[in-house]
Amino acid sequence: MSGSSPPAKSWYLVYTKPRQEQTAQQQLGRQGYPVYLPMTQRSRKRGNRRVPAIEPLFPRYLFIQLDTCRDDWGPIRSTVGVSALVRFGKEPANVPDVLIDLLRAQESTAGLHAWVEAEFRPGQPVRVVEGVLQGYEGIFVATSGRERVVVLLDILGRRVRARVAAGHLTSAD
């Protein structure tokens, strides 16, 4: 008894034009291609304050599911927002299903991935880039809660311990 097995669909990687990931996602979806664009929420500097921003987890990349035998790959590269399919040599970059499953499993109920800001190490030189202590340089001491850190700042010739929002620091290395 010979049966025909369902077509093998695989995930591939699409390289988008700058800041056009969502446009590419919408346009590819309108053409009937299954696409996946993992998103995250992080804080971005707007003027002199930080605001939450939802943006792609992997800037300039999204995933597309294609059937190597049945799907027409031609329209993909001329789709608005798409730069190219990522390739290794002449072969499109195949993404394992398990990676897509893992990414989807790690999304919150809102469909977002948690963003982990870079951690500072004790003794690392840091600079305060926002807030009332903006412009001061010091030494990172420790994390003190979810959003705050402790730093030693050199203020008027004295080392002063201060609690600062983690997002207000940058490395002074």
Side-chain angles (χ1 to χ4, degrees):
M1 176 173 170
S2 73
S4 64
S5 60
K9 286 194 166 209
S10 296
W11 287 98
Y12 296 91
L13 196 56
V14 173
Y15 187 61
T16 69
K17 294 179 180 173
R19 300 190 195 292
Q20 292 191 29
E21 300 90 352
Q22 290 177 311
T23 300
Q25 176 189 30
Q26 291 168 352
Q27 294 298 320
L28 289 167
R30 284 186 187 139
Q31 294 175 55
Y33 295 107
V35 291
Y36 175 52
L37 177 60
M39 301 295 282
T40 188
Q41 182 174 345
R42 56 188 296 194
S43 62
R44 285 284 181 200
K45 190 170 181 182
R46 298 276 190 258
N48 61 351
R49 61 188 183 102
R50 290 204 168 272
V51 296
I54 295 175
E55 56 190 39
L57 183 63
F58 307 111
R60 295 198 67 185
Y61 292 95
L62 63 83
F63 302 97
I64 187 168
Q65 192 176 41
L66 298 167
D67 180 328
T68 55
C69 298
R70 295 187 179 178
D71 285 333
D72 181 7
W73 296 38
I76 296 170
R77 71 173 171 261
S78 62
T79 299
V80 174
V82 171
S83 186
L85 267 171
V86 175
R87 297 180 179 274
F88 295 123
K90 293 185 179 189
E91 295 297 315
N94 186 296
V95 177
D97 289 348
V98 69
L99 175 61
I100 302 300
D101 295 341
L102 178 66
L103 285 168
R104 285 186 165 152
Q106 291 179 348
E107 289 179 351
S108 70
T109 55
L112 299 173
H113 288 265
W115 181 262
V116 179
E117 295 291 334
E119 297 277 329
F120 296 103
R121 64 187 184 285
Q124 179 178 356
V126 291
R127 179 178 304 113
V128 182
V129 293
E130 280 186 57
V132 297
L133 298 173
Q134 182 175 355
Y136 283 98
E137 291 191 4
I139 304 294
F140 178 82
V141 176
T143 301
S144 112
R146 194 167 171 200
E147 301 283 329
R148 308 208 44 94
V149 296
V150 177
V151 293
L152 282 177
L153 298 176
D154 195 4
I155 300 175
L156 299 172
R158 298 185 68 192
R159 291 272 170 143
V160 177
R161 221 176 243 264
R163 289 192 197 297
V164 179
H168 291 187
L169 291 181
T170 189
S171 176
D173 287 338

